[in-house]
Amino acid sequence: MRATDIIVKKRGTHTTGAEPPRAPAGNTTLTKDEISFLINGYVSGEIPDYQMAAWLMAVYFNGMTFEETGALTECMLHSGDTITLTGYDGLRGPFVDKHSTGGVGDKISLILAPMVASCGVCVPMMSGRALGHTGGTLDKLESIDGYTVNLTPDTFRTLIARTGFAMTGQSKEIVPADRLLYALRDVTGTVESVPLITASILSKKVAEGADALVFDVKFGSGAFMKSVFAARQLASSLVKTAYALGKKATAVLTDMSAPLGNTVGNFLEIEETLDCLEGHGPADVMEETYVLGAEMLLLAGAAADFDTARNTCEKAIVNGDALERFMRNVRDQGGDTDTLLQQRGKRRSPHHCTLTAERDGYIAIDSYLTGMAGVDLGVGRNKTTDAVCAEAGILLHTHTGSRVTAGEPIMELYGKDADCLTPARTRLLSAITYHAEPPETEPLILETIRE
């Protein structure tokens, strides 16, 4: 078996450019053995980046069948270690996790995990870092003094048994194929591929020990899937592939055309998390949290119907159980809760400016441009080696659909240094549009896709 032959097979027979392009001719469907040969060879170093990049581009253009996607997911899953949770230190499932496809101001996981855990469902959460315009849960957590996300499997299991949830990052031993492929996809223009995204997400989530999964699949300017159609394709692929792997799954389509909540940043979003856990968070964040939480309880069998599940989640916020569980986790993972509360509302970069409305009207705020302004400020990364600034971010005073008057403050900007404020401000000015009437928007929760 040769990598070149597998690449050519997936590429198919295309025209040379002398005639109009057409669909690939012949059978481009790979067998599980061929996919396994590629993945194992790439992880071992026998297959070089340039051949894997060619294969990724062939997949990007020609797609994969459901069977190929399942085979790719399994090969990636078994490329390294997996975590077994059931039976460890008395742990009993089902273990339910949530995954977001990425957004701007999306701090849902930080609220959701302690809320669901306080409802009696164990949540093993393996999260990621900021890249491009999307924020990273791990970076937000690490803005809490002392908080560590580098957990060993034993510590991960111990903390879940103690508090009901734990937050960890992906180690080099867990699904190494995904770590290598994700980095290569990011620099070869092959990120937005449904089968590749499906295999990447599911291989990690199954490896962490989850029995059931809720997917927050975003659409709109701030999402990888810009259209509802593309988001629906990905959601269906995730749910169908998860069930093929023996896992229960639900996908919720949510709008990411505008930033979520009142903050974009690392410590700023931790502060907003506390607001939400105290029951006075922004309406859009709370609504999405309750919907996703209810779906998690349903998959776990912890509620008979959606309304009951949602009411259970709301009670966990109202009675303070979710907040107490969050603080317990901060201490579990080395964080200093006293310092966290002392810094709340005060920890800001000294490099600051205010963006005001240029004229009267109803505004719309573009999510993608806001996220990229966050990167300018130091919230996120252009490449994985970039550092982030915990104190940088954007505090939003108003949102899409709101009416403003000229000179009214719209956003507060906090930067990693003085120089970054100008490009971030310029980008945000272009992110804001003014309208005579409230702009049309999609519902925050568009639809839910189940088995």
Side-chain angles (χ1 to χ4, degrees):
M1 202 175 289
R2 297 193 315 153
T4 303
D5 297 330
I6 298 172
I7 294 167
V8 169
K9 182 178 179 181
K10 175 48 69 176
R11 182 201 67 189
T13 304
H14 288 270
T15 62
T16 60
E19 50 187 295
R22 60 176 183 266
N27 178 24
T28 65
T29 302
L30 302 180
T31 67
K32 184 173 182 178
D33 287 343
E34 289 170 328
I35 293 171
S36 179
F37 176 83
L38 275 179
I39 297 302
N40 292 337
Y42 186 53
V43 172
S44 69
E46 295 175 11
I47 293 177
D49 278 351
Y50 58 82
Q51 286 189 311
M52 207 60 179
W55 180 76
L56 289 172
M57 191 59 74
V59 170
Y60 179 86
F61 281 114
N62 292 334
M64 295 182 110
T65 66
F66 170 65
E67 289 75 19
E68 285 179 291
T69 303
L72 176 61
T73 304
E74 284 201 78
C75 290
M76 291 172 61
L77 168 64
H78 296 297
S79 66
D81 296 340
T82 58
I83 299 174
T84 300
L85 297 176
T86 302
Y88 178 89
D89 197 23
L91 272 176
R92 293 290 180 270
F95 303 96
V96 187
D97 193 9
K98 161 261 182 187
H99 178 85
S100 169
T101 56
V104 179
D106 182 0
K107 68 282 298 176
I108 301 293
S109 292
L110 303 173
I111 312 151
L112 188 67
M115 182 186 74
V116 172
S118 65
C119 297
V121 177
C122 289
V123 183
M125 192 163 279
M126 185 181 292
S127 301
R129 297 192 179 278
L131 191 61
H133 70 282
T134 62
T137 298
L138 300 183
D139 298 310
K140 296 166 192 177
L141 289 167
E142 286 183 335
S143 73
I144 301 172
D145 282 3
Y147 197 105
T148 180
V149 296
N150 300 315
L151 304 182
T152 66
D154 280 349
T155 302
F156 187 53
R157 288 183 286 244
T158 297
L159 297 188
I160 295 171
R162 180 188 302 168
T163 303
F165 78 103
M167 314 289 279
T168 190
Q170 184 182 359
S171 71
K172 291 182 178 180
E173 292 76 27
I174 301 291
V175 198
D178 178 64
R179 179 172 46 83
L180 294 169
L181 283 174
Y182 190 90
L184 192 58
R185 286 167 54 211
D186 188 50
V187 296
T188 57
T190 55
V191 169
E192 297 92 343
S193 164
V194 167
L196 296 177
I197 295 172
T198 299
S200 174
I201 293 172
L202 277 174
S203 60
K204 291 193 294 283
K205 291 301 179 182
V206 175
E208 76 182 12
D211 297 313
L213 297 160
V214 172
F215 301 106
D216 178 8
V217 181
K218 298 190 177 296
F219 63 90
S221 72
F224 283 117
M225 298 300 174
K226 305 300 181 187
S227 70
V228 172
F229 176 79
R232 190 178 287 120
Q233 277 191 312
L234 176 58
S236 297
S237 176
L238 286 166
V239 171
K240 188 175 181 181
T241 307
Y243 270 93
L245 294 171
K247 308 295 179 181
K248 294 181 180 179
T250 297
V252 179
L253 301 190
T254 63
D255 187 13
M256 187 36 70
S257 300
L260 189 61
N262 298 333
T263 59
V264 177
N266 291 311
F267 192 74
L268 279 175
E269 292 193 43
I270 292 294
E271 291 184 351
E272 189 167 292
T273 295
L274 294 175
D275 293 341
C276 293
L277 290 168
E278 290 171 350
H280 52 85
D284 56 350
V285 178
M286 297 308 300
E287 175 65 16
E288 191 167 326
T289 302
Y290 287 140
V291 169
L292 294 171
E295 294 295 343
M296 291 175 74
L297 264 60
L298 286 174
L299 288 178
D305 55 66
F306 180 87
D307 289 341
T308 301
R310 178 170 177 142
N311 288 337
T312 302
C313 290
E314 291 177 355
K315 288 177 183 176
I317 296 292
V318 172
N319 63 24
D321 286 350
L323 176 62
E324 191 278 331
R325 192 82 56 149
F326 175 82
M327 289 301 199
R328 197 191 311 174
N329 168 260
V330 171
R331 293 188 292 270
D332 282 348
Q333 299 196 211
D336 187 331
T337 54
D338 291 337
T339 300
L340 169 61
L341 295 176
Q342 290 167 6
Q343 292 177 337
R344 186 179 182 183
K346 303 173 185 176
R347 188 178 174 186
R348 302 285 188 273
S349 167
H351 309 292
H352 164 261
C353 70
T354 301
L355 190 150
T356 58
E358 295 180 315
R359 57 181 179 274
D360 295 355
Y362 292 93
I363 64 167
I365 302 174
D366 181 84
S367 188
Y368 173 74
L369 292 174
T370 303
M372 291 308 297
V375 177
D376 294 334
L377 293 168
V379 172
R381 299 175 174 84
N382 283 311
K383 54 184 185 294
T384 55
T385 54
D386 289 345
V388 297
C389 177
E391 295 80 16
I394 303 167
L395 183 60
L396 290 89
H397 294 300
T398 190
H399 304 86
T400 290
S402 299
R403 181 168 177 78
V404 297
T405 56
E408 177 183 339
I410 295 178
M411 302 177 187
E412 302 283 336
L413 280 61
Y414 298 91
K416 60 186 176 183
D417 53 42
D419 293 339
C420 73
L421 292 174
T422 298
R425 186 177 185 277
T426 300
R427 202 186 294 268
L428 286 169
L429 287 172
S430 67
I432 301 168
T433 54
Y434 296 83
H435 306 265
E437 301 293 334
E440 291 186 8
T441 58
E442 294 280 3
L444 177 65
I445 311 293
L446 187 65
E447 65 183 76
T448 301
I449 296 175
R450 298 186 174 87
E451 183 186 13

